[in-house]
Amino acid sequence: MAMVQSEIERLIKEAFPDAHVVVVDLAGDGDHFAARITSEKFKNKSRVQQHQMVYDALQGSMGGALHALALQTMAPK
């Protein structure tokens, strides 16, 4: 079963309470999403570390319930 957009947002916001999160269903199929996440927790982290943090927040859903997620992560300026 695919994940819904609101569940992706909830899991990310739960892990990054300070974050500004925008999740978009890219294909309208509930299978391909993009997320833009801005959080202080990303400060001084590499892009790979930031993405790993997001994958951890999704609690194992990547590759299963969540088929594809394009990530854009950043710390506030």
Side-chain angles (χ1 to χ4, degrees):
M1 177 178 236
M3 287 186 82
V4 294
Q5 184 173 334
S6 61
E7 179 67 3
I8 297 167
E9 290 174 2
R10 184 189 69 76
L11 289 170
I12 293 171
K13 287 181 181 179
E14 192 173 276
F16 305 96
D18 72 309
H20 179 261
V21 180
V22 177
V23 177
V24 177
D25 186 342
L26 293 175
D29 60 4
D31 242 2
H32 299 83
F33 293 93
R36 181 180 174 141
I37 307 155
T38 305
S39 172
E40 285 289 338
K41 288 187 176 186
F42 295 143
K43 210 169 227 165
N44 301 315
K45 304 279 189 214
S46 71
R47 186 77 41 172
V48 170
Q49 290 171 317
Q50 293 173 14
H51 289 201
Q52 287 172 334
M53 293 167 68
V54 175
Y55 295 148
D56 289 345
L58 295 170
Q59 303 173 359
S61 297
M62 275 307 301
L66 183 53
H67 176 70
L69 179 65
L71 288 175
Q72 184 179 16
T73 55
M74 66 204 77
K77 294 185 182 198

